[in-house]
Amino acid sequence: MSTGSAGALRLWVPGDWNGFFGLFTNVLLNVIVLTGLCLGVVQLPADTVFGRVLPALGIALPLGNLFYAYLAWQLAKAEGRSDVTAMPYGPSVPHMFIVVFLIMLPTYLKTKDPMLAWQAGLAWCFIIGVIVLLGAFVGPAIRSMTPRAAMLGTLAGISVAFISMRPAFQMWETPWIGLVCFAIVLIAWTANLRMPGGLPGGLVAVIVGSLIGWGAALLGWSDYVKAGALGASFQQFGVHVPIFSADVWSGLSQVAPLLVTAIPLGIYNFTEAMNNVESASAAGDNYNLRKILLADGLGAVVGSMLGSPFPPAVYIGHPGWKAVGGRIGYSLATGAAIAVVCFLGLTALLLALIPLVAILPILLYIGLVIGAQAFQASPAKHAPAVILALIPNIAEWAKTQIDGALGAAGTSAAAVGMDKLAGTGVLYKGLESVGGGSVLAGMVLGAMAVYVIDNKMRHAAGWAFAGAALAYIGLIHGAQLGWGASPLVALGYVMFGATCLVLERTQGPGSARS
């Protein structure tokens, strides 16, 4: 039902404060993290990080926010509604870590030259953008053939594993701040209780968390925040203007190794965008998928040519921002605020000023909303398919935890041995197989389950055979892209599809058929 006429449309409504503080803190947190990765892992010079990488994001991200706000305005006018919510947008979180640890860090360790590592990252980001642009022409057809439970189920897997888990664990490391902020977020955004002074719940949570953290530090009860870090952060303050350069072309001179990860991750990007558009549709806002994908692809290409190796993407979480009252203005305000932060080098200052644990409850809440939507917006009988679609992302998350723990101990799963790990209950080989290409894998498995539940065995078989092809070339259930990457998994999918077709033929004339 419409909540207002097209003539009553406004660029800013009170709920946009909630959306702004939520999305801005989300994007800001990611900008802070990628800044730390560039400085601490790849050893990029501060001048390059604050003078090239962040200003490039300061252009690429606001352009996307502006475009998505424009799409929301168009949709609201076309449908005569004032409750349309713009799609959220920011740096792609999985790609932040992938480009650093799979592209830039290996290049740096091999060459000892952080600038060559940065150029390789720029080239990788450029390739990702090109693949997403190509996906704009096939994504709508894929969306029309994919059940909602499969798309939302794999998104729920991302939200549980990669959005909710880490913030929850970090909150419990400092629960005396985290749980207070989480209580404020839950009360404001689920019970819809008015905050003192009518302030947005997200802003209240950040203010309260910061006050508790700084109060404890000043009283000597905690060193969670440090006054010294606040003073040092002003060293990065200044105006940094983005420029186009040929660095991306230098990185493309060694393009072959980049394609191994860029091709599947480019497909991941347009698959995730497709799922996020479906998520927005389930919440009542039907966006044109092709326009979304074109914006994401152009954002990556433009960002790489300006100096950012971090592809932007439409964010998971539209239903969460809609639920807290965000409409059009929150997207515009987020883009403008991020531009200011990036152009002025304020990332270090904000990191020193706001305790991270004051921001984390907002991310956890968004993860909860997305996970819940997969069940709420799908038929109840498809709930098992949603659960099945969750599993690959959870497997991939578990594998990253094991890899991180073994790496910290100076070893690896291969060095320890699969049999020895299995003897302690760690089924590493299975985790690696199930979690490979987790977004696509979850969607394929979810679609297979939906059509089996609906007794459409031919459709289920078709998805199984598609899964076999994807597994055979390593796009799902494989450690790397390559012909014959996972032949036994491919065989398993073929046998699943064959089983569906055989059992369909054994049914009597009265049985339901696809």
Side-chain angles (χ1 to χ4, degrees):
M1 179 179 295
S2 172
T3 62
S5 66
L9 280 178
R10 290 183 292 166
L11 284 177
W12 189 268
V13 298
D16 279 316
W17 283 110
N18 282 329
F20 166 68
F21 283 108
L23 182 61
F24 173 67
T25 51
N26 188 347
V27 175
L28 177 63
L29 173 61
N30 293 331
V31 171
I32 290 170
V33 169
L34 66 85
T35 301
L37 291 173
C38 288
L39 294 169
V41 176
V42 188
Q43 303 299 313
L44 272 177
D47 288 346
T48 301
V49 176
F50 291 97
R52 295 296 309 278
V53 176
L54 294 182
L57 283 173
I59 290 291
L61 296 182
L63 284 177
N65 289 117
L66 177 64
F67 180 71
Y68 288 130
Y70 171 69
L71 290 184
W73 180 268
Q74 278 193 320
L75 181 62
K77 287 183 65 178
E79 298 186 357
R81 296 192 292 127
S82 60
D83 64 339
V84 174
T85 297
M87 295 293 282
Y89 186 72
S92 174
V93 177
H95 289 66
M96 283 167 32
F97 296 97
I98 290 165
V99 70
V100 167
F101 289 104
L102 294 186
I103 303 299
M104 297 170 71
L105 179 59
T107 304
Y108 170 69
L109 293 175
K110 181 179 179 180
T111 65
K112 305 302 180 185
D113 187 339
M115 300 306 290
L116 287 178
W118 172 56
Q119 290 173 351
L122 296 180
W124 182 86
C125 181
F126 179 85
I127 296 169
I128 288 286
V130 171
I131 293 171
V132 173
L133 288 174
L134 294 175
F137 299 97
V138 298
I142 296 174
R143 182 189 178 197
S144 68
M145 296 184 293
T146 308
R148 174 169 285 183
M151 288 191 284
L152 298 186
T154 197
L155 272 188
I158 298 170
S159 73
V160 170
F162 293 102
I163 295 180
S164 301
M165 292 279 201
R166 185 177 180 87
F169 298 156
Q170 289 176 297
M171 281 170 53
W172 259 259
E173 290 179 349
T174 316
W176 51 280
I177 299 178
L179 287 176
V180 172
C181 298
F182 190 48
I184 294 170
V185 167
L186 277 182
I187 291 169
W189 291 351
T190 62
N192 295 315
L193 291 186
R194 179 181 172 86
M195 292 289 104
L199 292 174
L203 176 59
V204 173
V206 170
I207 292 173
V208 171
S210 300
L211 289 175
I212 296 174
W214 278 99
L218 293 175
L219 293 173
W221 296 348
S222 169
D223 62 351
Y224 189 76
V225 291
K226 299 178 175 66
L230 184 61
S233 67
F234 284 98
Q235 296 177 6
Q236 303 299 341
F237 183 77
V239 178
H240 305 280
V241 180
I243 58 172
F244 281 98
S245 75
D247 290 293
V248 66
W249 309 123
S250 300
L252 285 170
S253 63
Q254 299 294 327
V255 68
L258 303 177
L259 293 175
V260 176
T261 56
I263 290 176
L265 288 166
I267 294 172
Y268 163 92
N269 256 29
F270 81 70
T271 303
E272 185 177 38
M274 179 177 69
N275 293 343
N276 289 336
V277 169
E278 184 66 21
S279 177
S281 177
D285 296 339
N286 294 292
Y287 286 104
N288 182 292
L289 175 60
R290 181 161 291 142
K291 292 180 179 179
I292 298 291
L293 290 170
L294 288 173
D296 280 7
L298 286 173
V301 169
V302 171
S304 67
M305 297 180 72
L306 286 170
S308 170
F310 302 102
V314 62
Y315 266 17
I316 188 173
H318 170 279
W321 305 127
K322 192 175 187 70
V324 301
R327 295 297 177 255
I328 298 174
Y330 89 105
S331 179
L332 292 170
T334 296
I338 288 297
V340 170
V341 168
C342 291
F343 291 158
L344 298 182
L346 295 176
T347 309
L349 172 63
L350 291 170
L351 180 59
L353 186 63
I354 302 172
L356 179 61
V357 72
I359 299 174
L360 297 172
I362 297 173
L363 302 185
L364 178 56
Y365 171 80
I366 294 302
L368 299 179
V369 171
I370 298 163
Q373 188 200 38
F375 296 95
Q376 294 166 344
S378 304
K381 67 177 182 177
H382 290 165
V386 172
I387 296 295
L388 184 60
L390 293 172
I391 292 175
N393 282 290
I394 295 174
E396 177 64 16
W397 174 83
K399 178 180 173 293
T400 63
Q401 299 301 298
I402 296 170
D403 287 342
L406 292 175
T411 185
S412 66
V416 173
M418 299 301 164
D419 291 341
K420 193 170 183 179
L421 287 171
T424 63
V426 179
L427 303 177
Y428 186 89
K429 188 174 181 180
L431 285 174
E432 184 178 48
S433 180
V434 173
S438 55
V439 176
L440 273 173
M443 195 170 72
V444 171
L445 289 171
M448 289 161 54
V450 164
Y451 286 125
V452 168
I453 292 168
D454 289 346
N455 198 8
K456 296 182 177 179
M457 298 302 169
R458 297 175 193 174
H459 289 71
W463 274 96
F465 296 146
L470 293 171
Y472 194 77
I473 60 176
L475 284 174
I476 62 174
H477 306 303
Q480 60 185 10
L481 190 66
W483 194 256
S486 300
L488 294 181
V489 177
L491 177 61
Y493 273 105
V494 169
M495 295 179 71
F496 183 103
T499 301
C500 291
L501 294 177
V502 168
L503 291 180
E504 183 198 38
R505 287 180 174 275
T506 66
Q507 303 304 302
S511 299
R513 291 184 179 273
S514 60

